[in-house]
Amino acid sequence: MKFIISSVRFLIRMTLVGMIMRAVVALYLGLWDFALPATFDNTLGPFLYGWHFDLAIGSFIYLILFGGSVVFGLSEKNHNRISFVLLLIYTMFIGTDAIYAKESGRHISYEVYNLLSIQGSLASLLKQYWLQAVIALLAASFFNRFLPRYQPLKGFLKRTAAVFFVLIIGVVCARGFEGIPQDPSWAYRSGGGSKGATLALNGAYGILWATLSGKKSSKENIVVPGDIKTAEIFNEWKEHRGIKKPFANFDGNIVIVFLEGWPGVYVDKKVGEDLVLPFFSNLRKDSLHVDLMLAGGHRTTEGLFATLCSLPNPPGKSIMFSEIENKDFQCFPQFLAKKGYNSAFFQGSDQFTSGVGLLVLKTGFQESHGKREIPHWESLDANAWGVFDQDLYKFALSLMDQMQEPMLIGLNTNTTHDRELPQGVRPAFGDENAATMHLSVTHHADKELRDFYEALKKRPWKKDWVLVLLSDHTSFSANGIFEHYSIPFLMKYHSVTDNKKPAPFAHSYVPGVFSQKDVGATLADLTGNEAPTFLGRSLLHPQDFSDGASIFHLGQTVWYEGDWAVIFNIREYGQKKCFRWATDMNFQLPLPCPPEAENIYLRGLSFIKESQELLFR
């Protein structure tokens, strides 16, 4: 019993030690400043949430310390010596992370592998940061006295039982209660955006996670000849990207729906005499729409990041669970929050599936809701991922009624996350195989979307509102590189205050190829927000921006510019094929490249290479 009590006291005190050190780090980084009381506003919740990480790192130390002491029968004196060494490593990890965060603005991740190479050697690191090392030494000594005394166990049975106890408690607490194991990006669950996540995350846990998970850089290494000045080419192109002088100053509501996996090839597609997407296809005609809209990746997090932050993803990867997941990107929900918008994001699956909930909080949404937040969700009809869209929409509408305008509402649908229909719904196009079932499921999701739209129109809006519909990515129907990334898109304005007031944009067709990055840029432009870091172009006046849109698939890049699509492999410099995308969207018939193809190719190559430099800088 004494051993159990000592263990519990140890874990509680180690959690408190973590909180104390995080508080000191917050003051060191200037996140808190006693001279500026406003810096403490809305930070208590995120700070307290960090106990998850404090307990996790404390449990890891407990596992080594108490487990080793029991197995090897260490005396109290030797136990305390090992305790001091572990605490010294702990405090030095915290100090190292704090120094790094002071310079970079984020916690250490994969950079832990290059820590010594930054300064060249351990000796040079200690020489430069000797004061911090001394503080870590003193802190370890103090905290070691703060921990409860260890009393050695005698007897085989007692020691055996203690070993099992240590393993169970240590592993469970170290791996987390809400996820196995808890990723450092879960700090965004604390709320408070980037600042809240920085307050919540224990830097030592971040280092330990990166070390044990073996996480290396997600950056793609693209080699080009030395005489090709990709940075100059990219910067010249980028000079005419980003929102520098906003076009409009819309201050109404925005509802953006990410249609899970809807493929662009389903728009206007008929099976027999019936449209697969009758509602969407008809609404699109009376909305702002484009020739071709491209997804920014193959995962929901990739599509959300490209849209909300108007930046490309690492080629073939998501920023989530990578070394830049905690980097402070500028995203349009953050801009709207500064203008007084209330915001919430809803998804039909678990809100933290693949890091989606974490990402939307990171981008600036104030709330994130998934299936588990829906009242009595277990009793609702569902597929393997979560609730069907009809119940997701009802839940979102109910919470919207409790929110103040202006509001930003984001949704990620779920019906098309699986090839399953609600009970009693007949498959419109049959269920003989995966293809026909996907058509039937998407057709039903289109009906659910229609009902949601009708409900939105009946809401007692106080301000005008804009509806944005686009896919997060494609699924199931992909047949070639084009169909992997072509997605549906429309944007429609609704006036509720003054029908005579001119609309902020026309419901018209915009020719050309665009990507999810352009949707984020358009919304920033529409709402009067400067966004110079965005790499998208506004659909409100695309002629004022550099042309170009890209997709990346298994090493191959397609760069669209003007009438041409140039396909090349990032690992085979100089090799390219040219297509007229409007008449050969599946890239079946390569044509002789036009005279400008070399410049188009170099702009595409430079974009892929240098946009990564921006992401990972």
Side-chain angles (χ1 to χ4, degrees):
M1 182 59 70
K2 289 183 179 180
F3 183 82
I4 295 175
I5 294 173
S6 178
S7 295
V8 172
R9 290 173 62 195
F10 180 88
L11 291 172
I12 292 174
R13 293 189 185 186
M14 283 300 299
T15 302
L16 292 174
V17 166
M19 297 181 75
I20 292 169
M21 288 198 286
R22 283 191 297 112
V24 172
V25 170
L27 293 168
Y28 172 71
L29 297 179
L31 298 174
W32 287 345
D33 188 338
F34 289 114
L36 298 171
T39 59
F40 291 88
D41 292 349
N42 303 315
T43 61
L44 180 61
F47 176 77
L48 293 178
Y49 182 87
W51 74 265
H52 294 78
F53 303 107
D54 301 328
L55 175 61
I57 189 72
S59 300
F60 189 80
I61 293 173
Y62 168 78
L63 191 61
I64 296 174
L65 179 61
F66 277 64
S69 295
V70 173
V71 170
F72 297 106
L74 298 183
S75 65
E76 181 180 353
K77 183 177 291 186
N78 287 331
H79 173 94
N80 290 338
R81 287 170 178 168
I82 294 175
S83 174
F84 171 75
V85 172
L86 291 172
L87 282 170
L88 179 60
I89 295 171
Y90 185 12
T91 54
M92 291 190 74
F93 274 12
I94 288 284
T96 300
D97 178 77
I99 293 168
Y100 179 85
K102 186 78 168 179
E103 296 180 357
S104 68
R106 65 178 187 269
H107 290 290
I108 290 176
S109 179
Y110 85 106
E111 299 93 340
V112 68
Y113 292 101
N114 305 316
L115 207 53
L116 288 181
S117 64
I118 295 172
Q119 295 295 331
S121 68
L122 179 61
S124 58
L125 274 172
L126 291 174
K127 181 178 180 181
Q128 183 169 353
Y129 298 111
W130 65 270
L131 180 59
Q132 288 87 343
V134 170
I135 293 174
L137 187 68
L138 294 174
S141 178
F142 171 78
F143 289 135
N144 200 36
R145 294 175 181 272
F146 174 68
L147 296 178
R149 292 182 60 187
Y150 170 76
Q151 295 182 350
L153 292 172
K154 296 180 180 180
F156 177 77
L157 290 178
K158 286 186 177 180
R159 289 174 61 184
T160 301
V163 168
F164 281 107
F165 179 81
V166 169
L167 285 173
I168 293 171
I169 297 299
V171 171
V172 169
C173 294
R175 290 177 71 82
F177 300 99
E178 300 174 82
I180 301 179
Q182 51 190 349
D183 187 281
S185 66
W186 286 35
Y188 279 94
R189 285 189 173 195
S190 66
S194 177
K195 180 179 179 180
T198 305
L199 278 169
L201 182 61
N202 183 304
Y205 182 82
I207 291 176
L208 183 66
W209 167 270
T211 303
L212 296 181
S213 66
K215 185 179 292 184
K216 301 294 182 69
S217 177
S218 298
K219 187 176 179 181
E220 189 77 42
N221 185 30
I222 301 175
V223 179
V224 299
D227 60 332
I228 304 300
K229 307 300 181 184
T230 56
E232 293 180 9
I233 296 170
F234 174 71
N235 288 332
E236 182 180 350
W237 176 88
K238 186 168 72 74
E239 187 65 27
H240 299 285
R241 282 294 174 117
I243 307 302
K244 300 177 177 65
K245 293 182 179 179
F247 179 79
N249 193 27
F250 176 74
D251 63 352
N253 304 290
I254 298 173
V255 179
I256 180 168
V257 183
F258 292 91
L259 305 161
E260 176 62 40
W262 286 29
V265 293
Y266 280 9
V267 177
D268 294 328
K269 177 183 176 70
K270 285 188 174 183
V271 177
E273 295 298 318
D274 297 322
L275 284 167
V276 178
L277 304 175
F279 167 70
F280 183 94
S281 297
N282 289 321
L283 186 66
R284 179 175 178 267
K285 296 172 184 176
D286 190 32
S287 306
L288 188 153
H289 61 285
V290 301
D291 267 321
L292 178 59
M293 179 62 71
L294 301 172
H298 251 311
R299 301 297 299 272
T300 298
T301 51
E302 294 170 34
L304 291 177
F305 178 70
T307 303
L308 301 177
C309 305
S310 192
L311 290 171
N313 289 278
K317 305 178 184 75
S318 167
I319 70 160
M320 295 309 293
F321 311 123
S322 78
E323 66 270 30
I324 56 174
E325 66 182 357
N326 291 321
K327 186 175 178 181
D328 190 15
F329 294 103
Q330 299 298 305
C331 308
F332 84 79
Q334 298 168 1
F335 302 152
L336 298 187
K338 292 178 181 178
K339 288 195 168 189
Y341 273 69
N342 294 292
S343 60
F345 192 91
F346 304 85
Q347 62 187 114
S349 59
D350 188 284
Q351 64 163 315
F352 296 111
T353 299
S354 301
V356 172
L358 302 171
L359 177 61
V360 297
L361 292 172
K362 173 183 176 63
T363 61
F365 277 93
Q366 294 154 353
E367 298 178 15
S368 172
H369 304 279
K371 66 179 182 182
R372 299 181 190 278
E373 285 67 53
I374 300 176
H376 313 297
W377 71 272
E378 302 97 332
S379 63
L380 298 174
D381 201 1
N383 60 25
W385 289 87
V387 300
F388 289 105
D389 294 347
Q390 58 189 11
D391 293 310
L392 172 66
Y393 292 143
K394 288 178 184 177
F395 176 58
L397 287 165
S398 68
L399 289 195
M400 287 168 64
D401 290 339
Q402 303 172 29
M403 296 172 63
Q404 297 293 317
E405 298 184 31
M407 65 177 75
L408 168 66
I409 300 298
L411 299 100
N412 176 214
T413 63
N414 189 64
T415 292
T416 45
H417 221 152
D418 200 359
R419 286 169 288 183
E420 190 173 337
L421 287 167
Q423 293 182 9
V425 175
R426 181 184 64 83
F429 304 114
D431 56 0
E432 293 78 18
N433 52 54
T436 57
M437 192 60 190
H438 188 255
L439 287 166
S440 298
V441 170
T442 311
H443 181 76
H444 178 71
D446 183 70
K447 291 182 179 179
E448 293 175 307
L449 179 63
R450 177 199 62 198
D451 294 342
F452 178 55
Y453 179 64
E454 294 300 324
L456 286 174
K457 289 198 297 182
K458 293 176 182 177
R459 284 195 81 254
W461 297 99
K462 296 178 181 178
K463 285 179 170 287
D464 298 347
W465 57 287
V466 167
L467 175 68
V468 182
L469 302 178
L470 78 162
S471 291
D472 51 353
H473 56 81
T474 64
S475 63
F476 291 116
S477 69
N479 179 27
I481 189 171
F482 163 74
E483 291 189 10
H484 268 281
Y485 297 93
S486 170
I487 59 172
F489 162 79
L490 66 81
M491 192 164 91
K492 188 171 178 62
Y493 166 74
H494 302 78
S495 174
V496 298
T497 55
D498 184 2
N499 291 328
K500 296 180 179 179
K501 184 173 63 176
F505 59 88
H507 292 156
S508 60
Y509 155 73
V510 180
V513 182
F514 298 86
S515 71
Q516 287 174 321
K517 297 187 298 294
D518 303 323
V519 178
T522 301
L523 291 173
D525 197 23
L526 175 67
T527 52
N529 287 286
E530 293 183 3
T533 63
F534 280 13
L535 292 183
R537 52 177 167 162
S538 174
L539 293 168
L540 306 185
H541 49 116
Q543 68 279 2
D544 295 332
F545 296 83
S546 301
D547 198 0
S550 70
I551 54 180
F552 178 89
H553 185 68
L554 301 177
Q556 276 195 318
T557 290
V558 184
W559 180 259
Y560 293 84
E561 190 173 314
D563 296 329
W564 291 94
V566 177
I567 299 182
F568 57 91
N569 192 306
I570 61 172
R571 300 177 184 90
E572 298 175 358
Y573 176 79
Q575 297 186 26
K576 60 184 180 292
K577 292 181 180 180
C578 302
F579 302 82
R580 285 194 177 273
W581 61 265
T583 56
D584 186 14
M585 288 191 175
N586 286 312
F587 310 131
Q588 299 296 318
L589 300 171
L591 299 173
C593 289
E596 66 270 26
E598 185 65 19
N599 288 333
I600 294 175
Y601 163 66
L602 289 176
R603 279 191 288 272
L605 179 65
S606 298
F607 172 82
I608 293 294
K609 177 176 172 56
E610 299 301 329
S611 63
Q612 279 197 97
E613 296 297 330
L614 288 179
L615 283 179
F616 290 88
R617 183 174 299 166

